[in-house]
Amino acid sequence: MIKYSAIDFTSVNVVQAELLKTIKTASHHFESFIHDKSDMSQLQEALHQLQSIVGVLKIIDIPGADTLTAEMVGLMSEFIAGELSINDRKLSALSHAFVGLPCYIEYVVEKQQALPWLVMNFVNELRIIRKIHLLEESSFFDFTIQALESSADANSAELDQPLVKRQRQLLQIGLVGLLREENLEIKLEMMQRAVARMATMVSAANPQQGLALAADVLTAMQQQSLALNFTRKRLLSELDKAFKQLSSAAADTAIFSQHYIHELSFLAALAANSGDTAMPSLAKLQMNDFAISDNMLQQERNIMQGPNAETIANMVLALRDELTQTKEVLEIAAQGAGEAADFNQLVNLFQRSADILKVIGLASASELMLSMHSKVSAWSEGETYQNQDLLEIADSLIYIESMLSNLSRQDLSDEQSSLADMPKDLLMSKSQLDQATIITLQESQSAIAVAKKDINSFIESDYQIEYIKQIAGNLITVVGALTMLNHHDAKAVLLSCVDFVNTIIENGLKREDAESILATLADALIALEYYLSEIELHGVAPDNVLNVSKQSLVSLGFPVKNA
């Protein structure tokens, strides 16, 4: 099932220590080069060290480790040959790889399993720099999918281009939003809706199956059965090319290659194996079964990479608690009832914390943690200490804790930074007003989300009028909120939506057109919901988001009136 053969862990255990030692030596030379970029000999020595283990990794065959090492060697070779310019971004990618490689080898030995997908992001980060094609996640798995045949009743009629244009706008807005990774739920929903609607419009087998698979993958990401990472963002960005083709081509144009469908199928299968997400598109494909799920990969990746910044902050807090307990132990020890061996646990914690702080770029905090490690190590071996020494360590930990808390505030705007200069009363008033605004925006988004669910319920209930009346009621509450917040353009859009819904209540809908018409209304609402979410997060929202809503309403015959 898996392309590579079983690993001989006995051989891996024999060479593990030497491998890690060589990688550490290479890393030290690379760090020296970062500090003095004029000293190419350090980079040359780092390259030499890694080249010395390439052959070993191929012999013992640790899938993923050999691939990552080869990419690191390739990038450094191009640096030295002058084929690539050197800058901080490229060196940062190489630094990430120097951290990931030993972590992965240690993981393989400890867990007695190799999962090359755990180093995919490191590999592709280097490949982007080298301007070579990305390594697909499915490349480490040997499986086949049934060849897709064109539908016998394929319709070659031109697509509804205004609708295609609106769906492409929804897709593009969602794609741009993914880069910031804020409020992902609604951005993924926008993309999924656009792709799913296009899938129902395209009748030829190849593009339809590709769009159906992409819609399932996006659904899985919404349901958190499939994580969003660097490689998958690049894959999703290819959807816009497909939409661009559809905007100028017939419905039966083959817009997805078999290779692309192969990758989408692998991701869909990963999500399906989590057990939480139905994958109807997989029913049309003939795939070999495999037991790996994306949730499992994410868990193993977390194990391999160790604690994140949040965990580090919690660790510092835990260390402070332990220092308090240690002080109590020392007070007892001063009376002859304690043991210096009680410091052993702190010795290990300080060492691990120092390593993590260095990885996340807090070099001074890492050095401070190492100095504390040195003191506590001496105490654990019997060196005398004073209570004042413990207080100094506690003060140092408070300082490190402050540095960690500032990590979450590195993206503050100038306006937010200036809040500290405001008079106290004004600052409190602004804070309360901002909080009230956020709550109002959140409630408005919730009301729109309920309205979208009511649209689905209206369709599923065979168009019972009670549901459409609920939609009108929910939207009216949002009109009041937008009036209060002075978002006049959004209010005008919503009023047109309300007018349309009231018309349905009064006149009804033709059943043959109902689902398509209601889907267009849902497009207008989801774009409006996204607009409000951007205002909540950033205070402003891009104008083209509301344009999607306005164009949808024009197609329904209810153009938005000027605010």
Side-chain angles (χ1 to χ4, degrees), residues 188-335:
L188 288 170
E189 182 183 357
M190 293 175 75
M191 294 175 64
Q192 193 279 338
R193 172 176 291 277
V195 175
R197 288 201 70 188
M198 288 301 299
T200 63
M201 296 169 57
V202 180
S203 58
N206 277 8
Q208 185 178 27
Q209 185 61 31
L211 289 169
L213 277 166
D216 278 351
V217 166
L218 286 163
T219 297
M221 289 179 175
Q222 284 181 277
Q223 298 176 356
Q224 298 183 345
S225 298
L226 199 61
L228 182 66
N229 59 32
F230 171 79
T231 303
R232 293 168 188 177
K233 285 181 184 178
R234 300 281 297 198
L235 186 72
L236 291 176
S237 68
E238 295 295 315
L239 289 170
D240 185 56
K241 295 180 181 178
F243 274 52
K244 182 178 180 181
Q245 286 183 313
L246 286 173
S247 67
S248 59
D252 61 351
T253 301
I255 57 175
F256 285 112
S257 67
Q258 197 73 7
H259 175 78
Y260 192 79
I261 292 177
H262 190 270
E263 184 71 2
L264 287 173
S265 302
F266 177 76
L267 294 181
L270 279 182
N273 282 343
S274 70
D276 300 325
T277 305
M279 289 288 158
S281 58
L282 287 181
K284 298 182 180 180
L285 301 173
Q286 192 74 33
M287 295 183 63
N288 294 335
D289 293 334
F290 56 98
I292 297 176
S293 73
D294 198 60
N295 288 343
M296 183 269 278
L297 287 179
Q298 189 60 38
Q299 291 171 0
E300 297 305 307
R301 187 175 289 108
N302 290 337
I303 291 172
M304 184 195 83
Q305 294 178 341
N308 54 25
E310 180 180 358
T311 305
I312 298 170
N314 291 334
M315 182 181 295
V316 172
L317 291 174
L319 285 172
R320 292 180 63 187
D321 291 339
E322 291 210 28
L323 282 174
T324 301
Q325 297 172 16
T326 303
K327 183 177 179 180
E328 295 174 356
V329 171
L330 289 175
E331 290 175 354
I332 298 174
Q335 301 172 15

Side-chain angles (χ1 to χ4, degrees), residues 280-497:
S281 58
L282 287 181
K284 298 182 180 180
L285 301 173
Q286 192 74 33
M287 295 183 63
N288 294 335
D289 293 334
F290 56 98
I292 297 176
S293 73
D294 198 60
N295 288 343
M296 183 269 278
L297 287 179
Q298 189 60 38
Q299 291 171 0
E300 297 305 307
R301 187 175 289 108
N302 290 337
I303 291 172
M304 184 195 83
Q305 294 178 341
N308 54 25
E310 180 180 358
T311 305
I312 298 170
N314 291 334
M315 182 181 295
V316 172
L317 291 174
L319 285 172
R320 292 180 63 187
D321 291 339
E322 291 210 28
L323 282 174
T324 301
Q325 297 172 16
T326 303
K327 183 177 179 180
E328 295 174 356
V329 171
L330 289 175
E331 290 175 354
I332 298 174
Q335 301 172 15
E339 295 182 1
D342 291 329
F343 287 110
N344 287 335
Q345 185 178 5
L346 287 178
V347 171
N348 296 329
L349 285 170
F350 284 169
Q351 180 62 61
R352 288 200 300 271
S353 297
D355 293 340
I356 295 168
L357 289 166
K358 185 176 181 179
V359 168
I360 64 175
L362 297 179
S364 61
S366 176
E367 293 173 2
L368 182 57
M369 188 67 77
L370 286 175
S371 69
M372 290 189 287
H373 170 269
S374 177
K375 290 181 181 179
V376 175
S377 295
W379 297 343
S380 69
E381 295 172 0
E383 185 174 309
T384 59
Y385 49 80
Q386 302 293 328
N387 286 345
Q388 181 62 33
D389 297 326
L390 287 173
L391 292 175
E392 290 177 0
I393 288 183
D395 288 342
S396 297
L397 284 173
I398 293 173
Y399 167 70
I400 292 173
E401 185 182 29
S402 299
M403 294 181 69
L404 289 170
S405 65
N406 284 332
L407 286 176
S408 63
R409 295 195 291 271
Q410 286 182 349
D411 58 349
L412 290 180
S413 66
D414 292 338
E415 179 183 356
Q416 290 169 313
S417 299
S418 66
L419 293 178
D421 299 328
M422 287 186 180
K424 183 178 179 180
D425 290 344
L426 180 59
L427 180 59
M428 291 178 63
S429 298
K430 186 180 187 307
S431 176
Q432 292 172 357
L433 179 60
D434 289 345
Q435 187 63 30
T437 300
I438 290 173
I439 291 173
T440 303
L441 289 168
Q442 289 173 343
E443 290 296 326
S444 298
Q445 292 171 64
S446 297
I448 294 174
V450 171
K452 290 188 301 179
K453 290 180 181 178
D454 285 338
I455 291 175
N456 291 330
S457 299
F458 180 51
I459 296 172
E460 293 169 359
S461 68
D462 198 24
Y463 307 106
Q464 293 183 17
I465 198 65
E466 290 80 9
Y467 289 106
I468 204 72
K469 289 180 179 178
Q470 291 177 13
I471 295 172
N474 278 316
L475 296 184
I476 285 295
T477 64
V478 182
V479 171
L482 296 180
T483 301
M484 183 176 64
L485 297 176
N486 293 321
H487 293 302
H488 301 298
D489 285 344
K491 172 187 171 182
V493 168
L494 201 56
L495 284 173
S496 290
C497 292

